[in-house]
Amino acid sequence: MITAYLQMAFALAAVIGLIVVMGLFLKKRQQMTGSMMKVVAHQSLGPRKGLIAVKVGTEVLLLGVTPSDVRLLRTYESDDIKVEPVVKETGDKLKKLKQLKETLYDHQ
């Protein structure tokens, strides 16, 4: 009876350990592959519509996004505008969007 409990506890520990190891592996893999493209800013224009600035290599792409379409609106060189990655806090996001908006209007 005790051996059955020990066997079950060992199997459970092995499964949990495997889940943790796979999670760490996938997180590290995602960080390595995600470095080529970064979302710089996102501005919602309504339900499921918006503008997204994406940095790909040395270019910044301004994309218009709707539920059925993604369109390239404009392309900038990253040297032309100041690009900083998106921050998770709402106040910082708003500040970054205002800075990006000012930068985009300055280059028109």
Side-chain angles (χ1 to χ4, degrees), residues 19-62:
I19 290 171
V20 169
V21 168
M22 288 301 294
L24 292 173
F25 171 74
L26 291 174
K27 184 176 180 182
K28 186 166 193 123
R29 185 172 179 213
Q30 182 181 16
Q31 288 173 349
M32 290 185 334
T33 59
S35 63
M36 192 170 105
M37 185 172 24
K38 292 182 182 176
V39 175
V40 178
H42 176 269
Q43 177 63 50
S44 178
L45 300 176
R48 299 171 52 183
K49 297 176 187 176
L51 293 173
I52 300 176
V54 180
K55 182 176 181 188
V56 180
T58 61
E59 295 182 331
V60 177
L61 308 175
L62 184 60

Side-chain angles (χ1 to χ4, degrees), residues 14-15 35 66 69 78 93:
V15 169
S35 63
T66 66
D69 196 19
S78 62
K93 280 185 179 180

Side-chain angles (χ1 to χ4, degrees), residues 59-90:
E59 295 182 331
V60 177
L61 308 175
L62 184 60
L63 305 173
V65 180
T66 66
S68 61
D69 196 19
V70 175
R71 291 190 184 220
L72 176 63
L73 302 176
R74 191 157 182 190
T75 302
Y76 297 95
E77 288 296 321
S78 62
D79 298 337
D80 295 341
I81 60 174
K82 184 179 176 186
V83 176
E84 296 179 20
V86 172
V87 181
K88 300 295 180 195
E89 291 80 31
T90 306

